[in-house]
Amino acid sequence: METLNEVVLPYAEWQPTKETIHRYLQIVGKLRLAVSPRRNHWWNVPFHVTASGITTRPMGRDPVFAIDFDFIDHRLIVATNHGSRSSFSLQGLSVAEFHDALVHAMLAVGADPFPILLSRPFDLPDSDRQFRVDDEHRSYDPSAAATYWRVLADVNILLEEFCGRYSGKTSPVHHFWHTFDIAATRFSDAIVEHGGGVDPVTREAYSREVMSSGLWFGDAETPEPAFYAYTSPEPNGLSDQALPEGANWRPRGGEHLAVFPLSAAQRTGDVRMAALEFWEVAYRAGAMLANWDIDRLSCPDGVTDPLLRISGASTAAPLRASRS
């Protein structure tokens, strides 16, 4: 099985599959948005990585249910806390057929599909077309789908490690179905005042100063997976700060995105170390310019206990002792 040091996922080759899966995710994501308990900054809405794919996590009330994408067996599973379960193959389905199969699977387990019956894509070129009539997008390459998931799984662990270095408010590591990326976000307690023209989704997502780190799967401009980082609001001078070799600042809606292609990280010989260094450098650049207390918020090796940090003692011993 390929690791991040070896994986290749050329954008042009898997674009049809990516565009189909993206719409599958948006259908399920819109359901998650409709029936999950609201959390700050929309943390209730994205997906989480599992050992075989991605999950919505439990949602709804009667019944409580979850929807899982299995990218090993290439199936969609709907399961309830009552023990009901329904699934279907992802292969060979148009978006319209996926939508129909999901509606029937939900009905089979007693879950209400009403929130997605007439749903449409979000921020995609065909946003004026309902999913239930989309027969255009129907490509599903199992090998590409599996590679996409393995990249998610590996980057998920990298982001968990990166999150452990920060003791302040941090989002879960989650996979965004609207933008098709995986990320984690660090927050300060500084409130951001948005103008009246900013939409409610953005206002909630960026109601505090944030620094986000993640990976997205490419586009026409960056035709491969790439690590990224940004600070919002962007402090003056951010794009003048140095980044590791192979990374650069790119304009993004009047601000800048730090981008580090996966291929550039692979050329270092150690993607894990390269990605962590890239995220750390980009974070420190933004934090310094935004006047965050970098030292106070630092959390080396996930340790906040000052006695353990001073002594350099491992956390493994206390954990073992707590189980004895």
Side-chain angles (χ1 to χ4, degrees):
M1 183 177 291
E2 291 177 314
T3 67
L4 276 180
N5 286 323
E6 305 157 332
V7 70
V8 177
L9 196 60
Y11 182 77
E13 293 181 17
W14 89 293
Q15 183 179 1
T17 292
K18 175 180 179 289
E19 292 180 350
T20 299
I21 292 177
H22 194 172
R23 286 160 178 80
Y24 290 176
L25 299 192
Q26 287 212 355
I27 294 170
V28 177
K30 289 202 165 194
L31 182 65
R32 173 93 183 142
L33 172 63
V35 302
S36 61
R38 177 76 175 265
R39 297 254 340 249
N40 58 158
H41 312 292
W42 307 109
W43 289 356
N44 57 299
V45 179
F47 301 139
H48 283 193
V49 177
T50 71
S52 59
I54 55 177
T55 182
T56 60
R57 294 161 288 154
M59 56 188 179
R61 293 191 177 182
D62 187 20
V64 174
F65 67 101
I67 299 178
D68 288 9
F69 287 84
D70 184 330
F71 291 115
I72 294 178
D73 292 331
H74 304 287
R75 298 190 67 80
L76 191 286
I77 303 112
V78 184
T80 77
N81 64 336
H82 297 164
S84 300
R85 182 181 177 94
S86 183
S87 70
F88 57 88
S89 174
L90 296 170
Q91 299 186 58
L93 297 183
S94 69
V95 169
E97 291 166 335
F98 173 91
H99 181 274
D100 184 64
L102 176 58
V103 167
H104 282 86
M106 292 182 64
L107 291 172
V109 301
D112 185 2
F114 177 78
I116 58 168
L117 292 180
L118 303 179
S119 58
R120 306 169 185 264
F122 174 78
D123 199 27
L124 293 175
D126 55 336
S127 59
D128 59 343
R129 174 174 58 191
Q130 293 177 1
F131 291 118
R132 66 191 181 107
V133 296
D134 180 5
D135 289 315
E136 174 189 356
H137 299 97
R138 59 183 316 117
S139 296
Y140 189 93
D141 177 350
S143 177
T147 300
Y148 145 73
W149 165 69
R150 287 198 298 271
V151 171
L152 278 179
D154 286 349
V155 175
N156 176 75
I157 294 299
L158 288 182
L159 283 168
E160 291 284 1
E161 183 175 355
F162 184 65
C163 288
R165 298 178 174 183
Y166 183 76
S167 65
K169 176 178 172 178
T170 307
S171 77
V173 177
H174 36 212
H175 184 25
F176 292 98
W177 50 262
H178 60 300
T179 47
F180 208 72
D181 61 329
I182 184 169
T185 303
R186 296 175 173 181
F187 293 77
S188 79
D189 58 2
I191 296 174
V192 177
E193 299 292 342
H194 293 285
V198 177
D199 67 89
V201 174
T202 301
R203 293 175 69 89
E204 175 60 27
Y206 297 100
S207 63
R208 302 293 188 273
E209 289 183 346
V210 305
M211 297 185 189
S212 193
S213 306
L215 175 138
W216 95 103
F217 286 86
D219 53 24
E221 181 182 353
T222 305
E224 61 175 317
F227 300 102
Y228 71 82
Y230 63 86
T231 301
S232 182
E234 182 175 313
N236 292 333
L238 181 63
S239 61
D240 296 326
Q241 300 301 303
L243 293 172
E245 183 178 355
N248 59 73
W249 295 101
R250 299 186 186 177
R252 181 186 72 110
E255 296 186 335
H256 294 86
L257 187 72
V259 177
F260 188 32
L262 175 58
S263 60
Q266 288 171 333
R267 287 194 290 272
T268 69
D270 189 335
V271 170
R272 172 183 167 273
M273 292 300 296
L276 291 172
E277 179 191 11
F278 164 71
W279 287 327
E280 184 69 24
V281 169
Y283 159 69
R284 286 180 173 269
M288 175 189 67
L289 294 172
N291 296 314
W292 289 24
D293 192 335
I294 296 174
D295 291 337
R296 184 177 65 84
L297 294 169
S298 178
C299 184
D301 297 320
V303 177
T304 57
D305 185 335
L307 291 180
L308 288 177
R309 290 176 64 172
I310 292 171
S311 67
S314 168
T315 58
L319 286 174
R320 283 195 296 269
S322 70
R323 299 190 186 106
S324 60

